[in-house]
């Protein structure tokens, strides 16, 4: 174990005192800083980032508050109070001009000792939810690889002065190269076979996700009442949020995924800002895809669709893009409401109320 520095103090005080620890995890080595009840540094050291070394270092201590930027179930299992900081919101770390693992660990420890809310702590999902969410993210990785290969094939063919037939990535097969020259078709054959293989793997994940939603997460059916929300979007939403009661009101769900406009009010100035893009990027992307479907040619008539269409018709620069983002935010709120209430979804509920009132 490589030592950075050690304050003169007894091992008994370190193991049994009222402590606060900041832990900056690294790939090979992690830095930690131990503070006593008055904020005095008792120890700063490096420890190999392995389960065995972590257990040996922190397993002998009494229950301690440990702040870190990445969650560790191992430390929670040892009985410690683990605070997972939202790294992008801790400006003392993100905006620091002196990036250093030792200083980051010290900053985490001092913030956790003063007030854990300064770390904008994130809620750690369960191990089961994490492994299920990993399957969804693995599928997303395959989809990304497939898109890159299809785009590469089209670019290569175009540079040769020829064209591939239009088709979706799911229909990208050997047949679409039939109109190409022989030498170009032979050059692309391995690439096309790889895309076909990725399509099969993605379908396999789709079957697993459908089975997972049906057998383990019955609440997914409540969310799928909205046309444009399938197993993938609904399950990713449930697994990412996990506990619907973490929000005081459904509107907070839109903020959680970073789809609400940022704020910078100062005096009389309140400029219009872009969405914050905080929270889970992949879930935000899925909700935007759902919004595109709702506003697209196949979306069913609903209050949400009508509202989004009115926004898009206002004109101006990027009106349609703004409408899609706004519908995605409303969709996040609607899904949370359906999840909490368990009620049946009525697509034109507000419109029908307005008509009955007018009559």
């Amino acid at each position: 174990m490589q030592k950075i520095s050690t304050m003169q103090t007894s091992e008994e005080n370190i193991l049994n005192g009222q402590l606060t620890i900041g832990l900056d995890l690294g790939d090979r080595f992690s830095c930690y800083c131990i503070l006593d009840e008055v904020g005095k540094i008792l120890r700063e050291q490096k420890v190999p980032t392995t389960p065995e070394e972590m257990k040996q270092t922190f397993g002998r201590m009494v229950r301690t508050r440990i702040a870190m930027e990445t969650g560790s179930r191992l430390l929670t299992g040892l009985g410690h109070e683990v605070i997972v900081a939202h790294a992008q919101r801790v400006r003392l770390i993100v905006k620091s001009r002196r990036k250093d693992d030792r200083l980051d660990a010290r900053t985490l420890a001092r913030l956790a000792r003063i007030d854990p809310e300064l770390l904008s702590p994130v809620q750690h999902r369960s191990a089961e939810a994490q492994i299920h969410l990993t399957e969804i993210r693995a599928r997303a990785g395959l989809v990304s690889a497939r898109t890159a290969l299809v785009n590469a094939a089209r670019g290569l063919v175009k540079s040769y002065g020829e064209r591939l037939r239009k088709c979706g990535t799911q229909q990208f097969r050997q047949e679409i190269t039939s109109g190409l020259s022989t030498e170009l078709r032979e050059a692309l054959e391995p690439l096309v076979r790889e895309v076909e293989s990725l399509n099969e793997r993605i379908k396999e994940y789709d079957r697993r996700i459908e089975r997972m939603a049906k057998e383990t997460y019955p609440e997914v059916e409540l969310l799928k009442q909205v046309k444009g929300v399938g197993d993938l979007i609904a399950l990713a939403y449930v697994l990412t949020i996990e506990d619907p009661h973490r929000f005081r009101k459904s509107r907070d769900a839109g903020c959680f995924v970073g789809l609400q406009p940022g704020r910078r009010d100062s005096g009389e100035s309140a400029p219009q800002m872009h969405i914050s893009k905080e929270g889970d990027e992949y879930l935000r992307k899925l909700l935007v895809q759902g919004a595109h479907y709702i506003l697209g040619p196949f979306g069913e008539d609903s209050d949400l669709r009508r509202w989004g269409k009115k926004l898009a018709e206002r004109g101006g620069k990027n009106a349609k893009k703004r409408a899609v983002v706004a519908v995605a935010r409303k969709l996040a709120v609607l899904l949370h409401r359906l999840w909490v209430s368990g009620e049946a979804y009525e697509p034109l509920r507000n419109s029908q109320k307005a008509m009955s009132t007018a009559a």
Side-chain angles (χ1 to χ4, degrees):
M1 184 184 299
Q2 183 180 354
K3 187 180 294 185
I4 296 177
S5 66
T6 303
M7 306 298 292
Q8 296 297 321
T9 186
S10 68
E11 187 72 15
E12 182 180 354
N13 288 339
I14 292 179
L15 296 180
N16 300 318
Q18 185 178 349
L19 310 175
T20 305
I21 300 176
L23 177 60
D24 187 83
L25 288 178
D27 293 333
R28 296 178 58 197
F29 291 92
S30 300
C31 293
Y32 69 91
C33 172
I34 303 178
L35 303 179
D36 64 12
E37 61 271 15
V38 296
K40 179 182 178 182
I41 297 176
L42 298 180
R43 175 182 291 176
E44 288 183 307
Q45 282 188 333
K46 277 186 178 180
V47 56
T49 311
T50 64
E52 295 76 16
E53 290 292 340
M54 289 290 180
K55 288 179 181 178
Q56 181 179 347
T57 302
F58 300 104
R60 297 175 296 164
M61 298 181 185
V62 296
R63 177 176 170 80
T64 305
R65 176 180 291 174
I66 301 178
M68 54 202 307
E69 291 179 309
T70 303
S72 173
R73 293 186 179 87
L74 186 148
L75 296 178
T76 303
L78 293 175
H80 296 296
E81 176 195 356
V82 178
I83 300 172
V84 183
H86 192 309
Q88 296 304 312
R89 294 189 183 180
V90 184
R91 296 179 63 86
L92 287 175
I93 295 177
V94 177
K95 300 295 184 180
S96 174
R97 295 186 179 182
R98 297 176 61 196
K99 292 301 295 178
D100 180 273
D101 294 342
R102 180 175 60 88
L103 294 177
D104 287 351
R106 186 182 295 182
T107 301
L108 287 168
R110 293 199 181 283
L111 291 176
R113 175 182 167 272
I114 297 170
D115 183 0
E117 289 301 315
L118 295 173
L119 295 169
S120 300
V122 299
Q123 183 172 323
H124 216 310
R125 62 178 59 89
S126 68
E128 182 184 35
Q130 186 65 42
I131 196 64
H132 289 164
L133 194 58
T134 298
E135 293 193 42
I136 292 177
R137 296 295 178 86
R139 178 194 181 277
L142 293 182
V143 171
S144 178
R146 178 181 66 182
T147 301
L149 289 177
V150 171
N151 289 340
R154 293 193 181 280
L156 291 169
V157 170
K158 185 177 180 181
S159 66
Y160 202 76
E162 301 186 36
R163 291 290 187 276
L164 285 171
R165 296 202 308 268
K166 287 186 178 181
C167 70
T169 51
Q170 299 92 334
Q171 293 78 40
F172 198 87
R173 303 184 181 90
Q174 291 287 349
E175 292 77 15
I176 71 163
T177 64
S178 58
L180 303 178
S181 58
T182 303
E183 60 272 21
L184 190 55
R185 191 164 58 249
E186 291 177 352
L188 292 177
E189 184 179 354
L191 189 151
V192 176
R193 284 204 308 268
E194 189 63 32
V195 174
E196 290 177 336
S197 175
L198 286 173
N199 277 328
E200 291 303 315
R201 302 289 77 76
I202 292 170
K203 288 179 181 178
E204 180 182 343
Y205 270 118
D206 287 339
R207 290 190 292 269
R208 294 171 67 171
I209 289 171
E210 182 180 0
R211 184 170 62 251
M212 187 194 309
K214 186 176 181 180
E215 297 177 355
T216 312
Y217 301 96
E219 57 268 40
V220 164
E221 291 299 320
L222 293 171
L223 278 56
K224 286 172 60 180
Q225 294 181 92
V226 182
K227 192 69 179 296
V229 175
D231 287 314
L232 179 62
I233 295 178
L235 187 57
Y237 188 92
V238 168
L239 289 174
T240 303
I241 293 179
E242 193 171 17
D243 178 14
H245 302 292
R246 66 190 300 178
F247 304 130
R248 187 169 56 87
K249 50 188 178 181
S250 295
R251 188 176 296 179
D252 294 338
C255 301
F256 175 75
V257 292
L259 286 167
Q260 88 287 1
R263 294 180 59 186
R264 189 174 292 172
D265 297 353
S266 178
E268 300 297 323
S269 176
Q272 184 178 14
M273 301 183 67
H274 297 293
I275 59 173
S276 66
K277 293 187 178 181
E278 296 176 342
D280 190 272
E281 181 180 357
Y282 182 61
L283 178 58
R284 185 166 60 249
K285 179 180 178 180
L286 290 178
L287 290 170
V288 169
Q289 289 176 2
H292 273 292
Y293 183 92
I294 290 170
L295 293 175
F298 303 108
E300 72 171 0
D301 189 20
S302 64
D303 293 329
L304 190 56
R305 177 181 170 88
R306 292 183 182 184
W307 180 78
K309 287 289 187 182
K310 285 184 180 179
L311 285 181
E313 289 168 0
R314 290 180 182 176
K317 186 178 180 181
N318 297 325
K320 185 176 180 181
K321 184 177 179 181
R322 278 203 212 78
V324 168
V325 173
V327 169
R329 181 172 63 252
K330 285 256 186 184
L331 180 60
V333 176
L334 173 61
L335 294 180
H336 183 267
R337 184 60 191 166
L338 292 174
W339 187 1
V340 172
S341 67
E343 62 188 27
Y345 172 57
E346 301 176 44
L348 294 171
R349 181 178 182 178
N350 294 335
S351 299
Q352 290 171 352
K353 278 186 178 180
M355 290 176 61
S356 62
T357 301

